[in-house]
Amino acid sequence: MSPPASFPLQREAVEQFEDAARKLRERFRASVAEALPGFARRLFEREWQESADITIIESIPPLALVYLISCERCVHDLLNRNYEGVASVHFERCVIEAAKDIRAKVTASWSYEDGAIRIPRKRTA
């Protein structure tokens, strides 16, 4: 039995949906990085680069994991129209929340020694 005539159209629709999700994820990452202060942006970008080849969730650095959870939630909401109001407002709200969560994670990883703040050079807690 041959596949229905609409099969190529369905494949094209899926490809367009996947492309839209990819572009949305890229824009979200850039927007979150832009919303972070410099010290947090550097740590986030470093961890994001470290996580590029990771396939096991347990190995994803903490800042990248916080970001990924926020990003996937936002992408899911937007692509499924699971939000109230304007999509751009929901997107911005997601970006602000992700940046706030990453900043909090960075700040929590700082240590105070001899009256000075020590910012970790590698992974954050």
Side-chain angles (χ1 to χ4, degrees), residues 12-72:
E12 184 178 327
V14 168
E15 289 171 359
Q16 289 175 355
F17 189 78
E18 288 173 346
D19 186 53
R22 181 186 54 76
K23 289 176 181 176
L24 189 54
R25 287 182 184 101
E26 289 171 3
R27 181 167 174 226
F28 189 82
R29 193 201 58 73
S31 297
V32 168
E34 186 177 305
L36 291 169
F39 66 91
R41 182 180 309 124
R42 287 186 295 277
L43 290 171
F44 168 67
E45 291 291 350
R46 182 173 59 218
E47 286 196 6
W48 182 248
Q49 293 301 319
E50 287 177 9
S51 68
D53 297 325
I54 294 175
T55 57
I56 302 169
I57 195 164
E58 291 83 12
S59 300
I60 297 174
L63 300 181
L65 185 60
V66 167
Y67 160 77
L68 283 170
I69 291 168
S70 297
C71 179
E72 290 308 308

Side-chain angles (χ1 to χ4, degrees), residues 1-123:
M1 180 185 276
S2 63
S6 65
F7 185 69
L9 294 176
Q10 290 173 351
R11 183 180 327 180
E12 184 178 327
V14 168
E15 289 171 359
Q16 289 175 355
F17 189 78
E18 288 173 346
D19 186 53
R22 181 186 54 76
K23 289 176 181 176
L24 189 54
R25 287 182 184 101
E26 289 171 3
R27 181 167 174 226
F28 189 82
R29 193 201 58 73
S31 297
V32 168
E34 186 177 305
L36 291 169
F39 66 91
R41 182 180 309 124
R42 287 186 295 277
L43 290 171
F44 168 67
E45 291 291 350
R46 182 173 59 218
E47 286 196 6
W48 182 248
Q49 293 301 319
E50 287 177 9
S51 68
D53 297 325
I54 294 175
T55 57
I56 302 169
I57 195 164
E58 291 83 12
S59 300
I60 297 174
L63 300 181
L65 185 60
V66 167
Y67 160 77
L68 283 170
I69 291 168
S70 297
C71 179
E72 290 308 308
R73 185 179 313 123
C74 185
V75 168
H76 178 269
D77 287 350
L78 289 170
L79 293 176
N80 290 295
R81 297 183 182 197
N82 187 23
Y83 56 90
E84 292 183 22
V86 181
S88 61
V89 172
H90 181 74
F91 180 84
E92 288 303 317
R93 194 175 318 128
C94 291
V95 166
I96 290 167
E97 283 297 313
K100 184 178 93 180
D101 292 345
I102 290 170
R103 265 193 321 270
K105 193 85 164 159
V106 168
T107 303
S109 70
W110 293 354
S111 64
Y112 299 93
E113 298 173 9
D114 303 323
I117 297 173
R118 306 274 185 224
I119 300 173
R121 298 239 181 248
K122 277 308 252 179
R123 292 187 176 185

